[in-house]
Amino acid sequence: YLKILKQSGPAEFNSFELDTNRTITAVRFSPDNKLIAVGAVDGTITTWATDKQDKYRHSIKCDAEIVGLQFVPNTNLLVAGCISGDVHVIDCEKSKFTGHMAIKGRGACQSVATNSHGHLAAIFRAADGTYASVFDLATGRPITGELSNGTTLNSVRFSHDGTQIICTPGKDGN
């Protein structure tokens, strides 16, 4: 189950549960708070309408465990990073894949982020280190080379204006 708290007053919250029937690995609210995307260990992504509380809108199956979800601002698109290293772009209104980026040889996708300019940043963990890359969502092509300075990266986020990226260090503090 996934427990959701929804504000009903200045200091009041109502709660409800979603029966996901899967082991959850990633969760994300849409920017307008109308959808919740839930990723699972079996590669299933389910979107739920927050106003219905018990009805899912769509379900779609990826090739591997979902490790990161991110809605693209001002669109119906959801980006899903998989442990296989694949990154999928999903149209939530049509419940279909609209794009796919397979980053071969870079290992598991660990974190994804998007900005309003249509860019995707992703971190991949490989045997020889951790790499961050930035892609154009429309074409799936990289727009930067791999960003790595020998450190272990844990997560990636864009600034509010979408012009800067921050990569946080991993558990070893590098």
Side-chain angles (χ1 to χ4, degrees):
Y1 286 93
L2 182 65
K3 188 169 204 122
I4 309 296
L5 298 174
K6 194 170 190 175
Q7 190 168 5
S8 57
E12 293 181 34
F13 287 87
N14 295 327
S15 69
F16 63 94
E17 293 179 342
L18 301 176
D19 185 3
T20 62
N21 201 23
R22 291 180 166 77
T23 302
I24 298 169
T25 55
V27 177
R28 183 70 64 184
F29 276 101
S30 63
D32 62 5
N33 292 321
K34 292 182 180 179
L35 292 177
I36 301 170
V38 179
V41 72
D42 68 354
T44 301
I45 299 170
T46 307
T47 55
W48 303 78
T50 57
D51 60 346
K52 295 189 176 146
Q53 298 182 2
D54 63 347
K55 301 289 182 188
Y56 72 90
R57 288 186 51 164
H58 299 289
S59 188
I60 196 163
K61 185 88 160 122
C62 293
D63 61 340
E65 178 181 336
I66 306 301
V67 294
L69 294 170
Q70 184 69 46
F71 283 93
V72 180
N74 307 315
T75 71
N76 294 320
L77 300 178
L78 175 70
V79 174
C82 297
I83 201 164
S84 64
D86 289 345
V87 177
H88 300 280
V89 182
I90 301 156
D91 184 325
C92 289
E93 287 297 313
K94 298 176 182 173
S95 190
K96 71 175 197 173
F97 293 108
T98 62
H100 174 253
M101 291 168 264
I103 315 302
K104 299 301 180 199
R106 281 292 134 228
C109 181
Q110 184 165 331
S111 180
V112 293
T114 59
N115 70 9
S116 58
H117 305 295
H119 299 145
L120 160 75
I123 290 180
F124 301 94
R125 183 174 301 279
D128 63 340
T130 309
Y131 301 87
S133 295
V134 180
F135 302 89
D136 183 310
L137 280 170
T139 65
R141 293 189 181 126
I143 56 176
T144 66
E146 291 177 339
L147 311 171
S148 178
N149 61 3
T151 64
T152 301
L153 303 173
N154 191 43
S155 68
V156 61
R157 292 292 172 253
F158 279 97
S159 60
H160 290 291
D161 65 2
T163 61
Q164 300 177 72
I165 300 171
I166 187 167
C167 297
T168 61
K171 293 179 186 174
D172 62 5
N174 291 327

